[in-house]
Amino acid sequence: MRVPKALGDFLVLQALCKTGGTAIAVSDAQCGEMMKLLAGRTGIFAAPEDT
């Protein structure tokens, strides 16, 4: 999810609460590994967004 401003963190948390969603923290290395796995299995090339 792209968060364009510091204000965005509040909006993300609000959306998670409203939808019953979940968020977890992962390292950059873990993110890269999962991006490769996703691409290899599905052909979807996801990109992490900078805040």
Side-chain angles (χ1 to χ4, degrees):
M1 177 178 289
R2 186 172 174 105
V3 181
K5 299 180 183 178
L7 164 71
D9 58 350
F10 174 78
L11 297 173
V12 170
L13 292 174
Q14 184 180 44
L16 286 171
C17 289
K18 284 184 177 180
T19 62
T22 302
I24 60 169
V26 297
S27 69
D28 288 343
Q30 290 171 314
C31 187
E33 290 173 24
M34 291 302 110
M35 289 168 55
K36 289 178 186 175
L37 182 65
L38 178 65
R41 290 188 178 179
T42 68
I44 297 171
F45 296 91
E49 299 294 336
D50 293 315
T51 57

